[in-house]
Amino acid sequence: MTVEVALSLMAGARVDHLVLCDGDDQSTGLISLARLAVLSGSPAYTDRIRLRDVLGGPLA
């Protein structure tokens, strides 16, 4: 999923965090709306950045 799609999904669902899961429904990460908003406003942002590229690691 791209960052743009995640931002749109989160806005529509009115949530502050998104839990990401793999094909086996295992949690692989958690990303906040604030973190995505900062990323989308940075000069390094492109519409090709995917959530897996910005995750800090698996959930503890």
Side-chain angles (χ1 to χ4, degrees):
M1 176 184 305
T2 64
V3 170
E4 286 187 16
V5 170
L7 285 168
S8 178
L9 176 79
M10 293 170 80
R14 296 181 182 165
V15 295
D16 293 330
H17 290 84
L18 186 64
V19 177
L20 305 173
C21 296
D22 63 13
D24 296 324
D25 290 332
Q26 297 296 312
S27 295
T28 59
L30 177 71
I31 193 116
S32 71
L33 181 60
R35 184 172 175 194
L36 291 179
V38 168
L39 175 67
S40 68
S42 76
Y45 178 75
T46 71
D47 62 352
R48 294 181 181 226
I49 295 177
R50 301 181 74 67
L51 291 180
R52 68 176 166 239
D53 299 332
V54 298
L55 286 177
L59 286 175

